[in-house]
């Protein structure tokens, strides 16, 4: 019994004690809620729940009316419960019921077969108790209405068949012993009881295991490497702050120059638009036409006053009037566009 309980304790302790800080907080919270539902739901029905191993193993009694005796129901919560595995609920392997398999474990209840984290442990156990009450389990070798007497029990132990021994062995070895713990075989019952009941002694023995020591050394090495990496990072803090300041200064210069460039581009676009605007072009052509007409009139006035030779007058006046008509034609062309 002590070996079995220690192995069950190890099956949850061994993989989880290496890195306890990495436990899934959500899974742990869901596990505590399920355990609370077990106590709350059963206490409402006046069913007492006994704690065998806190957080792992619990026990309730079911009354077999035909045999007039109470049988304990063991409720074991595996490490993956409730997110990845259902609870393991079992009675003695000498009982038979529609919900039980050959070793007395509840396997054929719908909530166990189709377990989900949303199911309530307390509700499931209470429903199993109700079904046991409506259809009580019976002893495999004594029928529905017989209770085994001491003589019959002794005969059963003496005449135990190989198949019965096989079932007993299967029940005991449900929690497989890791090969690392073979040296537990050398401990006597008192030493096993101390390991089971004294947490400090158990922790001391557990920490002395070679694999645990190796994992602990790996953890310490990782912590040292993390501390060295953190120290290297912190030593670069001043350089980092200086580079960040330089980047901020360059960014500010970029923003200012970008704003100036945008203003110049906007001004250039405005000037180009103004120069290519038809109304602006017509206005400027009209000014050029007026200027050409004024120059031709001044040339004619100078010729009439005798201030120019005839050949000079003809050449200048002809060029000025030609320029006047060209500009006027362009104006008329722009005005005729839709």
């Amino acid at each position: 019994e002590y070996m079995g309980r220690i192995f069950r304790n190890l099956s949850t302790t061994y993989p989880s004690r290496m890195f306890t800080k990495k436990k899934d907080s959500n899974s742990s919270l869901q596990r505590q809620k399920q355990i609370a539902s077990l106590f709350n739901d059963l206490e409402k029905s006046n069913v007492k729940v006994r704690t065998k191993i806190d957080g792992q193993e619990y026990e309730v009694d079911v009354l077999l009316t035909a045999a007039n005796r109470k049988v304990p129901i063991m409720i074991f919560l595996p490490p993956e419960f409730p997110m990845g595995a259902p609870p393991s609920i079992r009675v003695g392997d000498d009982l038979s019921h529609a919900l039980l398999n050959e070793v007395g474990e509840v396997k054929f209840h719908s909530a166990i077969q189709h377990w989900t984290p949303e199911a309530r442990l307390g509700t499931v156990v209470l429903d199993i108790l109700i079904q046991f009450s409506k259809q009580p389990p019976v002893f495999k070798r004594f029928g529905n209405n017989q209770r085994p007497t001491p003589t019959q029990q002794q005969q059963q132990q003496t005449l135990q068949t190989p198949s019965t021994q096989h079932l007993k062995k299967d029940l005991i070895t449900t929690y497989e012993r890791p090969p690392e713990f073979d040296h537990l075989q050398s401990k006597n019952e008192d030493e096993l009881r101390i390991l089971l009941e004294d947490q400090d002694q158990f922790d001391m023995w557990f920490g002395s295991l070679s694999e645990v020591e190796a994992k602990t050394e790996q953890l310490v090495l990782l912590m040292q490497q993390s501390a060295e990496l953190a120290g290297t990072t912190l030593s670069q803090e001043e350089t980092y702050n200086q580079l960040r300041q330089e980047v901020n200064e360059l960014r500010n210069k970029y923003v200012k120059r970008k704003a100036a460039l945008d203003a110049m581009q906007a001004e250039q676009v405005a000037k180009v638009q103004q120069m290519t605007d038809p109304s602006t072009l017509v206005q400027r052509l009209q000014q050029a036409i007026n200027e050409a007409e004024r120059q031709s009139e001044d040339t004619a006035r100078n010729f009439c006053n005798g201030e120019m030779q005839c050949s000079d007058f003809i050449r200048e006046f002809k060029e000025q009037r030609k320029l006047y008509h060209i500009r006027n034609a362009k104006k008329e062309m722009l005005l005729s566009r839709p």
Side-chain angles (χ1 to χ4, degrees):
E1 177 185 359
Y2 290 114
M3 292 284 287
R5 291 177 64 183
I6 286 181
F7 292 145
R8 289 195 294 271
N9 193 9
L10 289 173
S11 67
T12 58
T13 303
Y14 181 74
S16 63
R17 289 225 180 164
M18 298 297 98
F19 303 100
T20 56
K21 294 184 180 179
K22 296 185 178 180
K23 286 185 178 179
D24 187 350
S25 58
N26 182 51
S27 177
S28 177
L29 179 61
Q30 293 297 327
R31 187 183 183 93
Q32 294 302 322
K33 288 183 178 180
Q34 292 284 0
I35 295 173
S37 75
L38 175 66
F39 281 88
N40 294 335
D41 294 352
L42 269 65
E43 286 180 358
K44 291 179 182 179
S45 300
N46 296 322
V47 178
K48 185 177 180 180
V49 181
R50 296 186 296 275
T51 301
K52 307 298 289 184
I53 301 177
D54 188 27
Q56 299 178 27
E57 191 173 335
Y58 301 88
E59 186 180 84
V60 297
D61 289 331
V62 58
L63 176 63
L64 303 183
T65 54
N68 193 25
R69 62 178 284 193
K70 289 184 178 181
V71 176
I73 298 180
M74 303 302 299
I75 305 165
F76 173 67
L77 308 181
E80 301 83 4
F81 175 84
M83 308 303 292
S88 175
I89 303 174
R90 67 172 63 242
V91 295
D93 64 339
D94 55 347
L95 292 175
S96 176
H97 192 272
L99 298 180
L100 305 177
N101 63 8
E102 67 275 5
V103 295
E105 185 174 2
V106 178
K107 282 293 187 180
F108 305 112
H109 190 278
S110 59
I112 301 297
Q113 291 177 317
H114 309 287
W115 176 261
T116 62
E118 290 75 21
R120 283 178 63 91
L121 176 61
T123 303
V124 173
V125 174
L126 186 60
D127 185 67
I128 292 173
L129 292 176
I130 293 174
Q131 294 195 42
F132 282 173
S133 176
K134 293 179 180 179
Q135 184 183 355
V138 296
F139 291 99
K140 295 179 180 179
R141 303 172 189 79
F142 301 100
N144 294 350
N145 298 317
Q146 295 183 2
R147 180 180 178 182
T149 63
T151 303
Q152 290 173 324
Q153 291 177 353
Q154 292 172 0
Q155 293 175 355
Q156 177 191 9
Q157 295 174 357
T158 305
L159 302 177
Q160 192 176 49
T161 63
S163 60
T164 305
Q165 295 175 354
H166 176 68
L167 293 178
K168 289 288 187 179
K169 182 179 179 181
D170 288 343
L171 180 61
I172 294 174
T173 58
T174 299
Y175 305 97
E176 296 182 0
R177 182 176 73 251
E180 292 82 357
F181 305 127
D182 285 340
H183 53 279
L184 278 175
Q185 296 286 357
S186 62
K187 295 186 178 297
N188 58 36
E189 182 176 331
D190 292 336
E191 291 173 332
L192 292 175
R193 184 186 294 109
I194 292 174
L195 288 178
L196 185 63
E197 297 177 354
D198 191 331
Q199 189 64 45
D200 293 337
Q201 290 292 330
F202 181 87
D203 291 341
M204 185 181 302
W205 169 81
F206 184 81
S208 66
L209 297 177
S210 59
E211 187 168 348
V212 176
E213 290 179 345
K215 294 293 184 181
T216 303
E217 290 177 359
Q218 293 179 7
L219 178 60
V220 172
L221 179 61
L222 289 174
M223 293 177 64
Q224 291 176 350
Q225 293 175 349
S226 299
E228 292 175 358
L229 180 60
T232 303
T233 303
L234 291 175
S235 66
Q236 301 295 327
E237 183 177 8
E238 184 177 355
T239 303
Y240 165 75
N241 291 332
Q242 183 178 357
L243 292 174
R244 184 171 62 177
Q245 184 178 358
E246 293 177 0
V247 170
N248 290 334
E249 292 175 356
L250 292 174
R251 183 185 292 110
N252 294 334
K253 291 180 180 179
Y254 162 77
V255 171
K256 292 179 180 180
R257 294 181 179 180
K258 182 67 167 54
L261 178 61
D262 291 341
M264 294 173 62
Q265 289 179 340
E267 183 180 357
Q268 184 179 14
V269 169
K271 289 182 178 180
V272 171
Q273 290 178 348
Q274 184 178 5
M275 292 175 62
T276 57
D277 184 65
S279 60
T280 302
L281 291 175
V282 170
Q283 183 180 1
R284 295 181 64 186
L285 280 172
Q286 184 61 51
Q287 293 175 355
I289 290 170
N290 295 336
E291 179 64 22
E293 186 176 12
R294 185 186 62 78
Q295 290 178 356
S296 63
E297 289 178 353
D298 291 343
T299 301
R301 187 180 302 110
N302 291 335
F303 177 71
C304 292
N305 294 334
E307 298 177 359
M308 296 181 63
Q309 296 293 330
C310 180
S311 58
D312 295 335
F313 165 72
I314 292 173
R315 179 175 52 77
E316 291 184 12
F317 187 79
K318 183 179 178 179
E319 292 295 331
Q320 291 169 352
R321 295 309 295 178
K322 180 181 177 180
L323 182 60
Y324 167 82
H325 288 292
I326 290 173
R327 290 174 175 174
N328 194 48
K330 290 182 179 180
K331 172 187 173 183
E332 293 298 330
M333 185 183 299
L334 285 172
L335 291 176
S336 64
R337 287 183 178 180

